[in-house]
Amino acid sequence: MTYTVDLLDRASLSKIKEIEIVNEPMVHEEINGSFTFDFEAHYTAKNDLTNGVIVAVDGKYFKIAKVVKSRNDSISLNVHCEHVSYELIVDYEIDEDMEFESDVRTMIERFLSGTRFRLVECIETDIKYYATKTLDIRKRLFEVANLFAGE
């Protein structure tokens, strides 16, 4: 069986090219947790697998985190990707709590304001209170999902 992935331009998300991959790709997704994609590509794709591209598979977008050359029967590339939501990670804490009190839709839309991400689907909820010291938007989204019993 032949497997392929699409390589997209990071800014416009337009398709650059399709590359063939060696083995069945592995998607690892934890609800409200890690979301990664690993695959093995032919060595000839080395110039295409750069930080300037997004890898698309099954309608999901991943950024390349690491490419390692390996030698088995031939030379290939082991590619580790992280979901594009990892771009929201900010490793910084502040001294005072930031406080939010609203429904889940309003809260998430506020967190995503100014990013390239948008909320597509959301359940209607009651108003709840949320306080945090983190500027890490991805972490906030998971905490709010748990607060409202969502994902």
Side-chain angles (χ1 to χ4, degrees):
M1 177 175 246
T2 302
Y3 299 100
T4 61
V5 293
D6 290 334
L7 302 182
L8 311 177
D9 177 76
R10 181 180 287 263
S12 67
L13 297 180
S14 60
K15 185 175 175 178
I16 299 170
K17 73 185 313 183
E18 180 179 271
I19 63 167
E20 186 177 318
I21 58 179
V22 178
N23 295 322
E24 185 174 2
M26 297 291 291
V27 174
H28 174 77
E29 181 177 14
E30 295 175 19
I31 294 175
N32 299 338
S34 70
F35 194 5
T36 60
F37 173 58
D38 295 291
F39 64 94
E40 187 178 349
H42 297 286
Y43 187 73
T44 55
K46 70 177 187 227
N47 293 330
D48 298 319
L49 298 170
T50 66
N51 290 334
V53 300
I54 297 289
V55 178
V57 62
D58 295 332
K60 310 265 190 296
Y61 301 135
F62 297 87
K63 63 180 188 156
I64 296 172
K66 187 174 168 183
V67 178
V68 177
K69 183 167 57 169
S70 72
R71 296 175 193 254
N72 293 326
D73 296 334
S74 62
I75 299 174
S76 62
L77 301 168
N78 291 323
V79 183
H80 176 72
C81 303
E82 298 170 332
H83 189 261
V84 292
S85 66
Y86 281 57
E87 292 177 3
L88 297 171
I89 295 174
V90 177
D91 190 20
Y92 187 75
E93 300 283 322
I94 56 177
D95 293 333
E96 295 183 28
D97 279 345
M98 290 183 292
E99 298 174 340
F100 305 92
E101 189 169 4
S102 68
D103 65 341
V104 70
R105 175 178 297 281
T106 303
M107 211 175 285
I108 290 173
E109 287 175 342
R110 183 170 176 192
F111 295 163
L112 295 177
S113 176
T115 72
R116 69 182 189 151
F117 298 92
R118 64 183 171 80
L119 180 62
V120 176
E121 188 177 313
C122 187
I123 59 171
E124 296 301 318
T125 64
D126 292 331
I127 293 173
K128 291 194 178 187
Y129 172 80
Y130 170 68
T132 185
K133 289 184 188 244
T134 185
L135 295 177
D136 184 335
I137 297 169
R138 190 169 192 270
K139 182 176 180 182
R140 280 192 212 169
L141 293 172
F142 289 147
E143 290 174 350
V144 168
N146 289 328
L147 175 67
F148 286 96
E151 65 176 80

